Amino acid sequence: MCEITTYKISADLQKHYDPTKTTSLRNLFASKMKQRFVELQKVVKTSIVDNDCFGLKREKLALHQMVPASKEAFNFIRSSEKIEAFMVWLQQQVDKGILDVRVFQQVGGSIEGAWTNLYIYDSYKRGVLRAMTELKKAGFDIPENQLQISMNNPFHVDRVGLLFIRVYSDLKGITDAMDSQISRILAQGVADGDGPALIARKIISTINGDGADKLGITDTLGRFVSGQRRAVMLARTEIIRSFAEAQLQEFENWGILGVSAEAEWQTAQDDRVCPICEHMQGKIFTIEEARGKIPAHPHCRCCWLPYIKELEKYKK
Ligand SMILES: [Zn+2]
């Protein structure tokens, strides 16, 4: 007998405050992201203030002839050379500390990748697992080792690889924009004859956005969102994207098992849900239509539920 059944969201699932259950992963990724920007601020301060890399503390120089080479590293005569050398150094710090490509352990071996891959992969795996849990709840028999098998599925490997690249290039875009902001602030500061402490404060503020108004940074750059804030927001948002994309890919992969699933929009259903997402709650999309819709905006917390029309006929 072929009974058409509508897949229902269980009551306890509806009550979930965080449908993806990735709050701690998002917090962890965001804090690891922030740490890297804070580290950058520290090396900027050490370089400019403690090490006087621009050689701006002239009277002090006379007292300390035997300074290590790293000090006054950018003490060129021409200001443009100072700035240029500083920017080269800064980019190296950003490359090492924020973009940071390393050997990364993945199922089936180790590959070279950005540090961010670790978090994206974790969220992706959770998305696949969540999709499987939903399938199990719907009465399908899911073998214990299915997650391992699924993660090795070429469609998943391909999909998660694209997410890795996306996050890395978005982060690179953020740091590139930050670099050019810093370069402008530094040029302005040097032209204005700012001392090292003030220049350092201005650059740090350009990185983290704190006190930008007071330091006149917004006068130079206009209204801006600091690199650190954008990167932290990226970290949180991309965890949600990775989770949602994993779910959709897994739903799509079910086609091989003869399960044709669509995707149903699931918000956190609490009072923090924004009007954009509130409006989407419970809407059904084909997998193709659903792609790229979640996150709907930065800090979105939505995910998908499988919508299986002809559920009964596949039940064991
Ligand atoms: Zn949302």
Side-chain angles (χ1 to χ4, degrees), residues 108-285:
S110 55
I111 52 157
E112 214 183 42
W115 70 276
T116 46
N117 293 6
L118 193 68
Y119 299 91
I120 297 305
Y121 187 78
D122 192 346
S123 187
Y124 194 94
K125 211 162 80 179
R126 290 175 196 222
V128 173
L129 190 64
R130 172 63 181 277
M132 281 177 186
T133 310
E134 295 297 332
L135 194 62
K136 208 169 184 171
K137 262 202 241 168
F140 291 92
D141 194 13
I142 311 280
E144 280 307 308
N145 60 346
Q146 187 58 42
L147 180 67
Q148 195 72 9
I149 295 166
S150 255
M151 290 307 288
N152 285 322
N153 173 293
F155 294 110
H156 278 313
V157 172
D158 196 43
R159 183 73 54 185
V160 77
L162 291 175
L163 290 163
F164 288 166
I165 292 167
R166 182 195 169 104
V167 173
Y168 182 82
S169 60
D170 282 1
L171 185 58
K172 181 146 186 2
I174 290 169
T175 58
D176 283 352
M178 183 178 77
D179 285 351
S180 68
Q181 288 164 348
I182 290 172
S183 153
R184 284 177 65 188
I185 290 301
L186 177 57
Q188 187 66 49
V190 169
D192 292 350
D194 292 344
L198 183 56
I199 287 187
R201 274 217 304 280
K202 284 181 174 176
I203 292 178
I204 286 166
S205 169
T206 309
I207 298 168
N208 66 21
D210 295 345
D213 267 345
K214 273 191 206 148
L215 288 163
I217 287 162
T218 39
D219 294 341
T220 309
L221 299 178
R223 282 176 56 86
F224 80 108
V225 180
S226 73
Q228 180 177 307
R229 283 183 197 169
R230 286 181 64 199
V232 168
M233 189 162 77
L234 176 82
R236 293 183 177 283
T237 309
E238 293 309 307
I239 291 289
I240 296 295
R241 185 187 317 282
S242 183
F243 191 95
E245 287 299 313
Q247 287 190 294
L248 293 177
Q249 190 58 56
E250 182 63 16
F251 296 168
E252 195 173 292
N253 293 357
W254 293 351
I256 302 161
L257 306 171
V259 182
S260 94
E262 291 185 296
E264 179 181 333
W265 196 296
Q266 175 70 11
T267 66
Q269 296 195 313
D270 57 20
D271 52 11
R272 282 167 56 213
V273 172
C274 73
I276 308 170
C277 294
E278 197 176 22
H279 175 69
M280 301 307 282
Q281 170 65 36
K283 288 224 162 115
I284 316 277
F285 299 92

